[in-house]
Amino acid sequence: MSLTNTIHFRNLRGDIFGGVTAAIVSLPLALAFAAASGAGPASGLYGAVCVGFFAALFGGTPTLISEPTGPMTVVMTAVVSSMTAKDPENGLAMAFTVVMLAGIFQILFGVFKLGKYVTLMPYSVISGFMSGIGVILIILQIAPFVGQPNPKGGVLGMVQNLPELLTKINPAEATLGALTLAIIFLMPSKIKRLVPPQLIALIVGTVVSLVFFGNVEIRRIGEIPMGLPTLQMPTFTPSEITTMIVDGAMLGMLGCIDTLLTAVIADSLTRTEHKSNKELIGQGIGNLVSGLCGGLPGAGATMGTVVNIQTGARTAVSGLTRALILLVVVLWAANLTESIPMAVLAGIALKVGIDILDWSFLKRAHKVSWKGTAIMYGVLFLTVFVDLIVAVGVGVFIANIVTIERLSELQAQEVKTISDADDAIVLNEQEKQLIDQADGRILLFYLSGPMIFGVAKAISREHSAMADSDVLIVDLSDVPMLGVTASLSIENAIKDASDQGRHVLIVGATGKVKRRLESFGVSRFVPPHHMFVDRVEALKQAVTLVKSNDTTTVY
């Protein structure tokens, strides 16, 4: 795999500055996501290092910063919770195995060149899905934000226990959480351009907790072991293999969507074009290694990528620099983080959840399309309260059905039967004269555009309404694609006409359309000399057949 197109040293200063800045942005987020996931405080840093380094080394988007993200953390939180509940001894190891499986799936997606299909879904579904993930992340931070342990049962458990949580607020931790949000939201833009507000909130919140709440019991992140991580060997339980594979596929797919959407943003900022399949392979390698090292899964991160580009980065050297700086933190400075309050990390993660919400589309979806709005809110609800896979599956299915219905209605208007020279379709003067000569005894069955399965009903309707005639001309000149269902409807129309003793001519069937008709055995009803490329020639033959019928019956 060639690395020369993403790594060079002609922009070394900008790439190093970009990497350093991105590392500063990543540190508080990695700690916050680790705390939110339940996978251990070190998992966020290991994930940020492993995914960031290998995705930059092998990926296809030079300026992309890859690290644990809000959406990936939400899914990982559910995986960790589910696995540890079923098997307390091996659950966490199984959760990291799911991360490895996600990486393998991503590599396979890239190898089989599925990158261009990953984000090929309606925006209403993507918006509802991402907003749902944002809502989940917000809800899951309520307990640590007010100084309480997370209740069992995930989102539903949190919602059911909300009244009890609010009556047991820890004033000190709630104050720290509120202080964190205030710093992030209210920090002036001038300072934000110099220092990430999350880092300032992390430092200020920790200092305040030590100075003003030193004698108060506050839940803190605890000790993070310094040094290289212990390798996590793949762990399977026979009863959980299917669940782990499904979770891995879901995590891998989410990472692909998250990454490629961010890659598009990077393209717009750098005026370049990413290589989606190569990027998926890079992300897969990163997540595979992260799972082996006990790290969180990661994907392309919008915030880190934008900061990286704005600071001057143009190559993958920036991503490698960022990962190496975070590795230094893991190896020699991890003990500096043990005093960070959990409430501060909850505040940072809560702000990430708020940012994930698709506010732009939520505000104007009802003005754009009520169907799109219904799909978006439906996917959001299913994502939060049912299941991520169910949400995407149902959303894509309904959105596709709505789209097919619209396309079918439009295409149905292009299915017409003409028995005289009217204005239903554009005919030249010679064609009009030939149809007039037949005195209504030639029926021109005209189709236009892709004949998808939704158009079959319109074809059958026109077929049923066909008037008596001596010759049926099926005009496929303007049909670029002929689906199986539509082909069957056309075959039925041709067969019925043939059974009734009509002559059948076919015009314009070339390439794939012709091969599709041949595969259906249309030659049983239409001899080769009744297949035409030009409509005029077909009409001339039809007129001849009509005149011959005046004296004798001919097939």
Side-chain angles (χ1 to χ4, degrees), residues 176-417:
L176 292 171
L179 175 64
T180 300
L181 284 180
I183 292 173
I184 295 174
F185 275 108
L186 302 178
M187 180 177 289
S189 299
K190 292 181 180 178
I191 300 178
K192 284 183 180 180
R193 285 194 288 267
L194 298 175
V195 185
Q198 292 85 357
L199 183 62
I200 293 180
L202 189 73
I203 295 172
V204 172
T206 303
V207 171
V208 169
S209 73
L210 294 172
V211 174
F212 295 98
F213 302 112
N215 297 323
V216 180
E217 185 176 344
I218 291 176
R219 296 180 312 120
R220 302 182 185 275
I221 193 170
E223 183 180 358
I224 297 179
M226 291 188 295
L228 295 174
T230 303
L231 291 183
Q232 305 285 326
M233 291 297 102
T235 303
F236 291 92
T237 299
S239 60
E240 295 299 320
I241 287 179
T242 302
T243 302
M244 292 174 69
I245 292 174
V246 171
D247 287 344
M250 177 176 64
L251 195 59
M253 179 60 73
L254 175 59
C256 294
I257 295 172
D258 206 2
T259 295
L260 295 185
L261 289 176
T262 305
V264 171
I265 296 173
D267 288 348
S268 67
L269 293 174
T270 58
R271 301 293 187 270
T272 57
E273 185 174 351
H274 72 278
K275 298 177 180 178
S276 58
N277 295 313
K278 186 178 180 184
E279 184 59 52
L280 295 188
I281 293 174
Q283 293 289 327
I285 294 172
N287 279 313
L288 178 59
V289 175
S290 183
L292 284 168
C293 294
L296 293 183
T302 302
M303 185 185 303
T305 300
V306 171
V307 167
N308 187 43
I309 294 170
Q310 290 177 343
T311 315
R314 290 296 177 270
T315 80
V317 171
S318 58
L320 298 175
T321 301
R322 170 199 155 279
L324 292 174
I325 291 173
L326 291 177
L327 180 61
V328 170
V329 174
V330 172
L331 293 178
W332 291 292
N335 59 348
L336 298 177
T337 64
E338 63 184 49
S339 298
I340 297 174
M342 297 294 286
V344 171
L345 296 177
I348 294 172
L350 197 151
K351 175 60 167 60
V352 173
I354 293 173
D355 289 340
I356 291 174
L357 294 175
D358 189 1
W359 294 107
S360 175
F361 194 65
L362 286 170
K363 291 177 182 176
R364 55 198 172 101
H366 62 285
K367 299 178 182 178
V368 178
S369 165
W370 72 265
K371 290 181 181 178
T373 303
I375 291 171
M376 186 265 291
Y377 280 110
V379 171
L380 193 158
F381 179 84
L382 291 173
T383 299
V384 175
F385 294 107
V386 182
D387 182 77
L388 298 173
I389 293 180
V390 171
V392 173
V394 171
V396 170
F397 176 77
I398 295 176
N400 284 342
I401 290 297
V402 171
T403 302
I404 290 168
E405 180 187 18
R406 290 175 184 168
L407 290 175
S408 299
E409 289 175 355
L410 291 173
Q411 287 303 111
Q413 298 172 11
E414 301 301 322
V415 179
K416 303 167 184 175
T417 52

Side-chain angles (χ1 to χ4, degrees), residues 85 100 126 150 347 373 375 384 456 512 539:
M100 300 177 210
I126 293 176
N150 276 317
T373 303
I375 291 171
V384 175
K512 292 182 180 179
L539 285 169

